[in-house]
């Protein structure tokens, strides 16, 4: 299963609403997670099951979608939100990731 | 708090075997519902899942690497390991160990090591 994210990068300011999309090459129901990788650090899970917020993740993050089209939204961008976002499909092997969206 | 820490050589010669170990602390590797995984990140930032081992020793590998990969577990040391044979420059990457967690019907990577860079070069 191929995952294609758009855009590949975007420029945003503190307080902006940011939207990132992930498209799957075939229907995957809601088997999708989103991760944030801050510079020099490992990825951190934000959302799984397409829309379920992982424990401890701020509510400004939200996810939606099912089938082949998914969206990650940050309602008000904060300084710690800069980095690269990846989508990943769940529950099927091999696990695959999108190519990433860099927010700068 | 679960922590994972990778260890191993940062430089491997072409055609040799890359060997890394991940030490788990703050939790038992023998606990059910967790799949102990290796993931790598290429210099261009793409992420590739390599495979996992369950505490029983059951494994699953990425078909693209299956002929070269072995992942094993040592429950007595709370560690799991990666062996990748016949490496080339294309295997140069940051290697992460991670815990693939089964939670309420869903699997996702909830804990990651800090990553260890490995360069394949003579």
């Amino acid at each position: 299963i191929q995952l294609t994210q758009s855009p590949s990068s975007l420029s945003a300011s503190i307080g902006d609403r940011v939207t990132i999309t992930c498209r799957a090459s075939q229907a995957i129901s809601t088997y999708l997670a989103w991760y944030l990788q801050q510079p020099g650090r490992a990825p951190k899970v934000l959302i799984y099951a397409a829309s379920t917020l992982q424990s401890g993740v701020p509510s400004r993050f939200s996810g939606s979608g099912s089938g082949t089209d998914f969206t990650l939204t940050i309602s008000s961008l904060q300084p710690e939100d800069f980095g690269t976002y990846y989508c990943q499909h769940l529950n099927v092997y091999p696990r695959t990731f999108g190519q990433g969206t860099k927010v700068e | 708090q679960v922590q994972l820490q990778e260890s191993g050589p940062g430089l491997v010669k072409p055609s040799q075997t890359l060997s890394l170990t991940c030490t788990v602390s703050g939790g038992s590797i023998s606990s059910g519902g967790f799949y102990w995984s290796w993931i790598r990140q290429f210099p261009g930032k793409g992420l590739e899942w390599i495979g996992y081992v369950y505490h029983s020793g059951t494994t699953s590998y990425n078909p693209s690497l299956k002929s070269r990969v072995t992942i094993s577990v040592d429950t007595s040391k709370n560690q799991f390991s990666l062996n990748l044979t016949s490496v080339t420059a294309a295997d140069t990457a940051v290697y992460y160990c991670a815990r693939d967690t089964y939670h309420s019907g869903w699997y996702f990577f909830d804990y990651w090591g800090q990553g260890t860079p490995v360069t394949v070069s003579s």
Side-chain angles (χ1 to χ4, degrees):
Chain A
I1 296 175
Q2 308 295 323
L3 298 173
T4 303
Q5 293 180 230
S6 60
S8 296
S9 65
L10 64 90
S11 182
S13 300
I14 302 301
D16 283 354
R17 182 181 182 88
V18 172
T19 299
I20 299 167
T21 65
C22 178
R23 174 163 289 176
S25 59
Q26 63 189 72
I28 58 172
S29 183
T30 56
Y31 292 112
L32 192 93
W34 289 96
Y35 297 80
L36 164 61
Q37 186 175 33
Q38 297 166 316
R41 305 191 69 174
K44 169 190 169 184
V45 63
L46 302 172
I47 286 169
Y48 62 95
S51 62
T52 301
L53 213 60
Q54 168 68 335
S55 175
V57 174
S59 59
R60 62 180 180 273
F61 291 95
S62 63
S64 64
S66 67
T68 60
D69 294 310
F70 302 86
T71 299
L72 172 71
T73 300
I74 309 169
S75 60
S76 178
L77 193 69
Q78 298 302 301
E80 60 269 30
D81 301 339
F82 291 96
T84 303
Y85 291 82
Y86 295 92
C87 57
Q88 181 228 334
H89 84 84
L90 309 177
N91 292 34
V92 175
Y93 293 101
R95 302 273 195 255
T96 56
F97 294 84
Q99 83 280 14
T101 296
K102 187 173 184 179
V103 176
E104 53 192 353
Chain B
Q1 177 81 349
V2 174
Q3 293 186 320
L4 291 82
Q5 177 69 58
E6 306 90 350
S7 59
L11 180 64
V12 182
K13 289 182 166 48
S15 80
Q16 293 191 343
T17 297
L18 180 162
S19 296
L20 297 174
T21 295
C22 182
T23 301
V24 179
S25 58
S28 173
I29 206 168
S30 297
S31 299
F34 304 125
Y35 297 80
W36 303 96
S37 302
W38 288 97
I39 296 162
R40 63 183 181 178
Q41 186 165 38
F42 299 109
K45 303 298 185 184
L47 291 160
E48 180 178 58
W49 174 79
I50 298 171
Y52 76 68
V53 63
Y54 197 60
H55 66 81
S56 62
T58 299
T59 56
S60 178
Y61 301 132
N62 193 318
S64 67
L65 298 168
K66 191 171 185 178
S67 63
R68 299 195 291 132
V69 172
T70 303
I71 300 176
S72 58
V73 63
D74 186 337
T75 55
S76 67
K77 295 182 179 179
N78 229 32
Q79 295 177 332
F80 63 105
S81 299
L82 167 70
N83 274 2
L84 182 65
T85 62
S86 304
V87 297
T88 69
D91 295 307
T92 294
V94 175
Y95 285 75
Y96 292 99
C97 56
R99 189 178 82 169
D100 195 357
T101 290
Y102 181 75
H103 177 71
S104 300
W106 305 93
Y107 291 92
F108 53 90
F109 299 110
D110 61 346
Y111 288 99
W112 298 63
Q114 66 186 25
T116 187
V118 177
T119 300
V120 178
S121 174
S122 56

